[in-house]
Amino acid sequence: MDGGGEQTKYRGVRRRTWGKFAAEIRDSSRHGVRVWLGTFDTAEEAAAAYDRSAYSMRGRNAVLNFPDQAHVYEAEARRGGGASSSTATRQSQQRQVIEFEYLDDDVLQEMLNDHDRSTRNN
């Protein structure tokens, strides 16, 4: 990932200058548009968020940071959910927190449009 962050050993994760970890993924169905997944306290939490998103987009073809957790992501995808916690047991106890950084008007509008489309499809 480029732009404003130090690389980590995890796919889709970079360390922010203030120490938090940002996660994002490219959506191949939308010509590689970056999808912001959030900012996390640990690289592992950010990597798990990436994995959940990758699995929900690509299924068993997804390249994961934690391939041994594929069964958890598959179960979440079947239930139609996901969370920002790094383990299945913690996900029911935590709520997802998204920390926004600078977003220009186009990015914010795209996020709102995505949310509206997903709300209509559910």
Side-chain angles (χ1 to χ4, degrees):
M1 290 173 38
D2 57 357
E6 173 186 324
Q7 290 290 97
T8 69
K9 65 180 181 177
Y10 297 111
R11 178 181 293 271
V13 177
R14 62 188 151 104
R15 186 179 181 116
R16 306 302 296 185
T17 55
W18 53 90
K20 296 243 183 179
F21 294 87
E24 62 186 26
I25 190 169
R26 292 199 179 262
D27 186 348
S28 57
S29 68
R30 297 184 332 181
H31 308 292
V33 169
R34 285 185 189 178
V35 178
W36 178 253
L37 303 175
T39 304
F40 301 85
D41 291 329
T42 68
E44 290 75 16
E45 287 176 321
Y50 174 90
D51 283 1
R52 281 185 191 85
S53 184
Y55 198 93
S56 73
M57 287 181 183
R58 301 178 186 114
R60 291 185 175 163
N61 294 323
V63 177
L64 304 174
N65 291 300
F66 305 113
D68 58 321
Q69 294 294 308
H71 66 283
V72 174
Y73 308 135
E74 184 172 4
E76 288 174 358
R78 268 190 259 131
R79 284 195 315 264
S84 63
S85 66
S86 60
T87 64
T89 56
R90 286 179 47 204
Q91 81 186 93
S92 63
Q93 298 168 353
Q94 285 189 326
R95 61 190 172 104
Q96 185 174 9
V97 176
I98 299 174
E99 187 175 308
F100 286 95
E101 298 173 30
Y102 170 76
L103 299 175
D104 65 30
D105 292 342
D106 293 337
V107 174
L108 183 56
Q109 189 60 48
E110 183 179 335
M111 290 175 70
L112 291 170
N113 291 340
D114 288 346
H115 175 69
D116 290 345
R117 279 192 294 272
S118 69
T119 302
R120 275 187 251 128
N121 292 335
N122 289 332

